Amino acid sequence: MKRREDLNAPRSRRWLGIQVDTDAFGAFAESIASFIGTARFLVYQTVFITLWIIHNLFAPDRLIFDPWSRGFTLLTLVLSIQAAYAAPLILLAQSRQERRDRIMAENDREVAERTQTDTEFLARELASVRLSLSDMVTGESFDDRLARLTDAVEHLGRQVDGLSRKLGDDEPDPADRTQIADADV
């Protein structure tokens, strides 16, 4: 079989000269399997078999088509044919569902990986923002630093006054005091 250029749709196959669309047949098999697996089907089948048996037990001899004397051979054949087709249809539907589940699981895994990657990236960004904010001066820390700086300037001013008294100069020149404070800071 040649490879098609368009890979968006499943390829249909030829079987004994008949074009078979595997996807359409799979959908048909799923619809049959989903109907067979219902209580409605069991009720229909029970009614059908009951009517079959009643008809072949109590109908006139000319209308009986599956006599009890042969053990309802035709009914057994019909049910065997039904089972012969039902089992592969159910298996086909299950395999198609497994394929869909596998694809969904792969998609879910990819989404989970992307989500985890995005979450880790956001966590790193948040940590860097926190670090940046921790280095920033807040109003309280600015007030604390300003108060310490004021205390340091006042302390230097007292030291300058003390030094000037030791040297004998009772009153230091205010211009000298600012030059000394600027030099120490």
Side-chain angles (χ1 to χ4, degrees), residues 30-103:
E30 284 179 340
S31 68
I32 296 294
S34 66
F35 175 68
I36 289 174
T38 62
R40 183 181 345 172
F41 173 76
L42 290 175
V43 169
Y44 289 163
Q45 185 172 11
T46 302
V47 168
F48 175 76
I49 292 171
T50 303
L51 291 175
W52 181 296
I53 292 172
I54 290 173
H55 173 78
N56 286 299
L57 284 177
F58 300 114
D61 286 342
R62 64 183 168 82
L63 296 177
I64 293 176
F65 54 88
D66 191 17
W68 168 253
S69 60
R70 287 189 292 167
F72 295 124
T73 308
L74 187 57
L75 177 63
T76 305
L77 180 63
V78 168
L79 292 177
S80 296
I81 290 172
Q82 175 197 353
Y85 278 98
L89 288 174
I90 290 169
L91 290 173
L92 176 62
Q94 285 177 344
S95 67
R96 284 174 49 90
Q97 184 62 44
E98 286 173 4
R99 232 178 287 130
R100 277 195 301 270
D101 290 346
R102 186 174 47 252
I103 290 170

Side-chain angles (χ1 to χ4, degrees), residues 1 4 12 35 47 51 56 59 99 109 131 139 168 170 184:
M1 241 182 218
R4 293 179 308 146
S12 32
F35 175 68
V47 168
L51 291 175
N56 286 299
R99 232 178 287 130
R109 183 184 48 78
L131 285 173
D170 286 336
D184 288 338

Side-chain angles (χ1 to χ4, degrees), residues 15-41:
W15 182 73
L16 298 176
I18 300 171
Q19 185 84 8
V20 178
D21 184 3
T22 56
D23 198 42
F25 187 76
F28 169 73
E30 284 179 340
S31 68
I32 296 294
S34 66
F35 175 68
I36 289 174
T38 62
R40 183 181 345 172
F41 173 76

Side-chain angles (χ1 to χ4, degrees), residues 56-154:
N56 286 299
L57 284 177
F58 300 114
D61 286 342
R62 64 183 168 82
L63 296 177
I64 293 176
F65 54 88
D66 191 17
W68 168 253
S69 60
R70 287 189 292 167
F72 295 124
T73 308
L74 187 57
L75 177 63
T76 305
L77 180 63
V78 168
L79 292 177
S80 296
I81 290 172
Q82 175 197 353
Y85 278 98
L89 288 174
I90 290 169
L91 290 173
L92 176 62
Q94 285 177 344
S95 67
R96 284 174 49 90
Q97 184 62 44
E98 286 173 4
R99 232 178 287 130
R100 277 195 301 270
D101 290 346
R102 186 174 47 252
I103 290 170
M104 290 293 290
E106 289 173 7
N107 288 341
D108 290 346
R109 183 184 48 78
E110 290 172 3
V111 167
E113 286 176 357
R114 281 194 307 263
T115 302
Q116 182 179 4
T117 303
D118 291 346
T119 303
E120 289 171 353
F121 171 75
L122 290 173
R124 285 192 302 272
E125 288 297 312
L126 232 151
S128 70
V129 167
R130 282 184 179 163
L131 285 173
S132 298
L133 287 177
S134 69
D135 291 341
M136 290 182 66
V137 177
T138 62
E140 280 183 27
S141 65
F142 181 73
D143 290 342
D144 291 343
R145 290 180 184 182
L146 188 60
R148 281 187 271 149
L149 187 60
T150 304
D151 290 342
V153 168
E154 288 174 0

